Amino acid sequence: MVQKALLSLLVLAVYSAYAAEIRHVRSSRAPSSSPVELPAAPFVVSLTDKVPRSSAKKQALRELRGRASSSQTATIAGSDDDEEYLTSITVGGHNFTAIVDTGSSDTWLAQVGFSCFSLDSTPIPAADCFFGSAGFDPSTSKSFVSFPDTNFNISYGDGEFLTGAVGFDTVTIGGLTVTHQEIGLVTHAAWEGDTVSSGLIGLAYPGLTSVYNGSNPDLDGANNSLLYNPFFFSAVQEKAVKEPFFSVALNRGSFAEETNSTLDPNLGFLAFGGIAPVEVTKTSVTVPVQGFETTSGTSGFFFYAVDVDSWVFPGSNKRHTAGSVILDTGTTLNYVPTQIAAEFNSKFKPPATFDEDEDTYFVDCDATAPAFSATIGGVEFTVDPKDQILPFLDDTGNVVCISGTQDGGPAEADNIFILGDTFLHNVVATFNIAENNITISERVAY
Ligand SMILES: *[C@@H]1O[C@H](CO)[C@@H](O)[C@H](O)[C@H]1NC(C)=O
Ligand SMILES: *[C@@H]1O[C@H](CO)[C@@H](O)[C@H](O)[C@H]1NC(C)=O
Ligand SMILES: *[C@@H]1O[C@H](CO)[C@@H](O)[C@H](O)[C@H]1NC(C)=O
Ligand SMILES: *[C@@H]1O[C@H](CO)[C@@H](O)[C@H](O)[C@H]1NC(C)=O
Ligand SMILES: *[C@@H]1O[C@H](CO)[C@@H](O)[C@H](O)[C@H]1NC(C)=O
Ligand SMILES: *[C@@H]1O[C@H](CO)[C@@H](O)[C@H](O)[C@H]1NC(C)=O
């Protein structure tokens, strides 16, 4: 049996270089709620789940919370149950397991001989990064090409950070192959791994990629950033896939599977070129991805951000709040504006309670969860109450439960909120990177 720590999985790139400068730009394109017929995907890979991460992360997160300063970091510094979605990736002929993340853009692997650090940058044994392999060895790949005088440098919302080298190699995910994909090769990792995955597949926009000119990561910033096409963007450009969309269906895992096995093999699908193969209802909507503007006057796409028209739960009066909301497979819970979280959590029977030390709403495991939905593009998407109460084992082996919907910070225009796996368990999200729109399709209840 694996001890589950009270931890956050917030694999969401921290957009440090521009964090203070980005402004939400509203797209004028109207949503379309006419039912969308998306083709079946030619490339499909199953998702599996691996639960435990190092319990050291709990303490590290607490420490980090005190240091959080940017609004991005503050917004996402919650704590929650660990859960992540993994799949297989082949790089240069070698197979690895990697996290599937729509909240960041770089695809990276640990490189053999990497150095491991704690989140406060203290060197620790390599084993303590808990990667699932010794890492990728570029010298064993016939197709690898290095990208000299550049560096890979990324920080995630939960305090993890990585630096390393950059190269190109043949990458295959779900049968879809890109022959010259830019990837990060991690040589320095502050990473609280899961003992299964050795890297991550970033599916968000080129504007969020994290490769820089020069070999010294300490000099990295907006002026030496070398943006590039992430895996799926390359696939579309290389015409390796006909339709420019990918789709995710994340199944909710079972507590029994999570607690008693290391891998839950049946956690949904990542699909390329069509919709993920799960049953959907006729309820769907296509909405524009919301872009962001930098102070330099340029605007672009970074995250898969959408406008949420209103939050719907008993007593909410279908309230609209400021700020954008991203669809992020790499974040377990929903992080909604403070007031929405407070009111929603008060509606559990008995009410959920906020624990200041853990910065988390806890709830009775036998509580009744209130109805909850988010209206997007005029269509209401309901979250199954099953997703609103997450059991985990605390340090003493007792089962305790946390709320699936947590405080993501004040409802301010520049804040970014998250619809994470709590929400995504209930829909299929299909991301069109050419049209910059997202089709959200309601799943048949399961
Ligand atoms: C979304 O993109 C598709 C192209 O795949 C396009 O046909 C459709 O009009 C777009 N929908 C909206 C609402 O913009
Ligand atoms: C790597 O994964 C692919 C696809 O899952 C599989 O066909 C192949 O046999 C695997 N190769 C090795 C060396 O495990
Ligand atoms: C990196 O910067 C140097 C110096 O400004 C420049 O000569 C070089 O072309 C840049 N490299 C890339 C890949 O852009
Ligand atoms: C790059 O890494 C250094 C530490 O090695 C860090 O101080 C810096 O903020 C990072 N820059 C970016 C853009 O992530
Ligand atoms: C980018 O700006 C930083 C800080 O202004 C500077 O130290 C660094 O040398 C610059 N990097 C490049 C590649 O120009
Ligand atoms: C895990 O397995 C043990 C031993 O079979 C059992 O007692 C326990 O109830 C299981 N836990 C869950 C959550 O199903």
Side-chain angles (χ1 to χ4, degrees), residues 38-45 174 176 232 241-243 245-248 269-278 428 430:
L38 292 166
F43 305 102
V44 178
V45 63
L176 177 62
F232 188 64
V241 58
K242 187 160 150 260
E243 301 287 0
F245 34 86
F246 71 91
S247 182
V248 288
F269 302 95
L270 169 62
F272 299 109
I275 190 168
V278 297
V428 178
T430 306

Side-chain angles (χ1 to χ4, degrees), residues 2 47-52 84-88 97-98 194-197 253-254 256-267:
V2 188
L47 302 176
T48 60
D49 166 77
K50 170 69 179 66
V51 179
E84 57 190 26
Y85 288 87
L86 307 178
T87 198
S88 307
T97 300
D194 54 32
T195 74
V196 174
S197 63
S254 88
E257 280 282 359
E258 290 178 6
T259 313
N260 281 335
S261 73
T262 45
L263 270 178
D264 185 343
N266 178 30
L267 278 200

Side-chain angles (χ1 to χ4, degrees), residues 17 49 110 153 167 280 369 373 380 392 402:
D49 166 77
N153 183 349
V280 294
S373 29
E380 215 178 300
F392 68 96
I402 58 173

Side-chain angles (χ1 to χ4, degrees), residues 213 219 223-224:
N213 194 349
L219 302 180
N223 60 354
N224 65 334

Side-chain angles (χ1 to χ4, degrees), residues 134-419:
F136 176 58
D137 183 352
S139 71
T140 64
S141 166
K142 290 189 183 69
S143 42
F144 181 80
V145 177
S146 79
F147 190 5
D149 300 317
T150 62
N151 74 91
F152 172 60
N153 183 349
I154 190 166
S155 304
Y156 294 97
D158 52 11
E160 292 170 314
F161 58 88
L162 310 163
T163 59
V166 184
F168 301 87
D169 210 337
T170 301
V171 174
T172 303
I173 305 168
L176 177 62
T177 297
V178 170
T179 51
H180 194 65
Q181 177 56 44
E182 192 163 337
I183 54 172
L185 303 165
V186 171
T187 55
H188 294 76
W191 187 252
E192 304 285 358
D194 54 32
T195 74
V196 174
S197 63
S198 300
L200 182 144
I201 300 164
L203 293 163
Y205 280 92
L208 264 187
T209 57
S210 311
V211 167
Y212 299 88
N213 194 349
S215 51
N216 182 355
D218 293 337
L219 302 180
D220 291 347
N223 60 354
N224 65 334
S225 161
L226 298 173
L227 301 182
Y228 68 93
N229 276 337
F231 173 77
F232 188 64
F233 289 75
S234 302
V236 170
Q237 192 182 48
E238 287 188 5
K239 298 191 166 44
V241 58
K242 187 160 150 260
E243 301 287 0
F245 34 86
F246 71 91
S247 182
V248 288
L250 307 184
N251 293 348
R252 74 178 64 87
S254 88
F255 183 52
E257 280 282 359
E258 290 178 6
T259 313
N260 281 335
S261 73
T262 45
L263 270 178
D264 185 343
N266 178 30
L267 278 200
F269 302 95
L270 169 62
F272 299 109
I275 190 168
V278 297
E279 271 193 282
V280 294
T281 74
K282 292 224 153 29
T283 299
S284 82
V285 69
T286 299
V287 289
V289 178
Q290 297 300 311
F292 292 83
E293 187 172 278
T294 66
T295 43
S296 58
T298 59
S299 66
F301 295 104
F302 301 95
F303 294 108
Y304 293 110
V306 298
D307 271 348
V308 170
D309 308 334
S310 57
W311 306 103
V312 186
F313 53 88
S316 75
N317 295 316
K318 303 193 174 182
R319 196 133 35 96
H320 175 78
T321 53
S324 43
V325 181
I326 67 169
L327 302 179
D328 183 15
T329 60
T331 295
T332 307
L333 304 178
N334 293 337
Y335 288 85
V336 303
T338 302
Q339 205 55 38
I340 299 295
E343 291 173 27
F344 169 75
N345 281 296
S346 75
K347 296 294 190 322
F348 281 89
K349 289 191 173 85
T353 52
F354 190 71
D355 181 311
E356 299 277 348
D357 289 344
E358 302 284 0
D359 201 7
T360 298
Y361 283 98
F362 283 82
V363 67
D364 191 303
C365 294
D366 299 320
T368 304
F372 179 88
S373 29
T375 306
I376 301 171
V379 177
E380 215 178 300
F381 292 94
T382 303
V383 171
D384 193 310
K386 285 198 278 289
D387 292 311
Q388 295 286 13
I389 300 177
L390 282 84
F392 68 96
L393 296 175
D394 72 7
D395 294 342
T396 57
N398 294 315
V399 178
V400 293
C401 288
I402 58 173
S403 167
T405 298
Q406 299 283 341
D407 183 353
E412 291 164 6
D414 293 341
N415 271 353
I416 293 177
F417 301 97
I418 303 170
L419 287 173

